[in-house]
Amino acid sequence: LAVFISYYFFIPYRLIVENRRSWEYQQKNQLLTQVEELKTNFLSLMSHDLKTPLARIQGMTEVALTDNNSLSEKQKDALQTISHSCEELTAFVSSILSLSRVESQEIKLNIQSKDINQLIHDVVLHLRYMAQEKNIQIMTELEPLFSVKIDIDLIRQVLMNLVENAIKYSPPDSRVLISSEESENKVIIQVADQGIGIPDDEIGHVFMKFFRSRSVKTGTKGSGLGLYLAKYFVELHKGRIRLDSRPQQGSTFTVELPMDPGSIEI
C-alpha cells in the first residue's frame, strides 16, 4: 500500500515539477533569443543611421580645411579636432556593423586575386599621417609573392587594425616593421612594434570580444573589437593569427593565410 501511494502521488508530482522547469527554461531561452535579436537589430539600425551624418560632417570639415579663405590657427585646430573625432567614431561604427554581421552570420567571402604586398602598401599609405604625428617609422620587408585568393575588404580590415594598433600603442620615435613571406604553401604576414607589450596573463584574452588590456584602458581609446574581428576574418579564410608579446618590449602579430585557393570555400 505504501509503495502504491508513493508511486501514485510522488511520480506525477515529479513529472509536474520537471515539466514546469522545462517550460520555464524554454520561456527564458525564447526571451533571451528575442532580446538578442532586438539588440542586433538596434545596433545595425543605429550604425547605419550614424554613418551618413558622420560622412557629411567629415566631408564638410575637409571642404572647410581646404578652402582658400584664410582660417586662424584656432579655427584650423578646431576643424582638425572635429575631423579626427569623426574618424574615430566612424571606425567605431564600422566595428559595430561588422560585429552585427558576424553575430548574424551574414558575412560571406568575396574571393578575388590580390597581391598581398600591394594591400600592405595601401594600408601603410593610409596610415602614414597617423605615424608621422608620433614620428614613428613604418618599415616593410616584403618578399615578392604571387597573387592569392582572398576577400580584399576583410583582409584590408585585418591589416589596418594590426598596423593601426602598432602605431597607437608604440612610443614616439619608434619603429613598426611589416614583413611578408611565403612558407609551406602559406602567406605569412607579421606586424611588429616596439610598444608597451601585453602581460603574459592577458595574451590568451586579446582576441576576445570587447577585451582591452588593463595597461591601455586609461591611456588610449578603443572598442575592444578590432582583434576579435581580425581573428574571425582570418579564420574565415582558413588561416590563423597569433600574438607574441612581452611587456615593454613590443608585440608581434603573425597572420597565416593559405596560398591554395581550393582550401577556401567561395
Side-chain angles (χ1 to χ4, degrees):
L1 181 60
V3 171
F4 174 77
I5 293 174
S6 298
Y7 182 82
Y8 187 80
F9 288 102
F10 182 69
I11 298 300
Y13 173 76
R14 286 192 60 186
L15 289 174
I16 292 172
V17 171
E18 291 297 328
N19 286 334
R20 182 173 182 83
R21 287 178 180 173
S22 177
W23 179 82
E24 289 176 350
Y25 288 145
Q26 185 177 0
Q27 292 297 112
K28 288 180 180 178
N29 287 335
Q30 289 179 353
L31 180 61
L32 289 174
T33 301
Q34 292 174 356
V35 170
E36 189 67 23
E37 289 178 355
L38 288 172
K39 183 203 76 172
T40 302
N41 291 336
F42 170 75
L43 290 177
S44 180
L45 289 172
M46 179 196 70
S47 301
H48 279 295
D49 290 343
L50 282 174
K51 287 193 76 173
T52 300
L54 282 173
R56 289 175 182 166
I57 294 172
Q58 183 71 28
M60 296 303 294
T61 304
E62 291 175 359
V63 169
L65 284 170
T66 56
D67 193 353
N68 293 327
N69 294 329
S70 59
L71 296 173
S72 67
E73 289 301 319
K74 188 174 182 180
Q75 289 172 326
K76 288 182 180 179
D77 289 341
L79 287 172
Q80 288 173 350
T81 300
I82 293 172
S83 179
H84 289 318
S85 298
C86 282
E87 290 177 358
E88 291 177 356
L89 192 51
T90 300
F92 177 74
V93 168
S94 297
S95 297
I96 293 297
L97 279 173
S98 296
L99 176 64
S100 299
R101 292 174 62 201
V102 167
E103 293 185 337
S104 60
Q105 298 181 343
E106 292 181 358
I107 294 182
K108 304 296 181 183
L109 291 179
N110 179 23
I111 299 299
Q112 303 176 54
S113 293
K114 182 66 176 180
D115 182 356
I116 287 288
N117 290 341
Q118 184 59 52
L119 200 56
I120 293 172
H121 281 303
D122 294 343
V123 169
V124 171
L125 186 64
H126 183 80
L127 295 173
R128 69 188 187 281
Y129 293 117
M130 181 180 180
Q132 288 173 3
E133 288 179 349
K134 299 177 68 175
N135 198 29
I136 291 176
Q137 183 181 7
I138 301 180
M139 304 176 64
T140 57
E141 295 180 358
L142 308 179
E143 179 182 294
L145 299 170
F146 291 106
S147 296
V148 294
K149 299 282 190 178
I150 57 172
D151 185 307
I152 298 173
D153 291 336
L154 296 187
I155 297 303
R156 180 184 286 110
Q157 288 187 53
V158 173
L159 295 175
M160 283 284 293
N161 179 265
L162 296 181
V163 178
E164 185 175 349
N165 280 351
I167 297 171
K168 189 186 299 183
Y169 299 118
S170 292
D173 304 313
S174 60
R175 294 184 299 175
V176 172
L177 174 62
I178 308 170
S179 63
S180 69
E181 63 175 335
E182 180 185 347
S183 177
E184 298 180 354
N185 206 32
K186 296 177 182 177
V187 172
I188 299 176
I189 306 163
Q190 288 190 323
V191 179
D193 62 53
Q194 299 174 323
I196 58 178
I198 298 173
D200 292 339
D201 60 334
E202 293 185 352
I203 289 180
H205 304 289
V206 294
F207 296 106
M208 294 174 61
K209 185 170 30 176
F210 298 118
F211 177 82
R212 298 199 71 213
S213 174
R214 59 178 178 269
S215 59
V216 301
K217 282 183 178 178
T218 56
T220 310
K221 296 179 181 179
S223 64
L225 288 174
L227 292 178
Y228 168 79
L229 294 173
K231 182 174 184 290
Y232 184 88
F233 295 156
V234 169
E235 291 180 349
L236 271 182
H237 287 76
K238 310 300 182 185
R240 67 172 185 157
I241 182 172
R242 67 179 187 272
L243 165 65
D244 298 304
S245 182
R246 291 185 179 180
Q248 307 308 320
Q249 295 185 29
S251 301
T252 300
F253 284 89
T254 303
V255 175
E256 297 180 4
L257 298 171
M259 291 285 293
D260 181 11
S263 63
I264 301 176
E265 296 181 2
I266 301 177

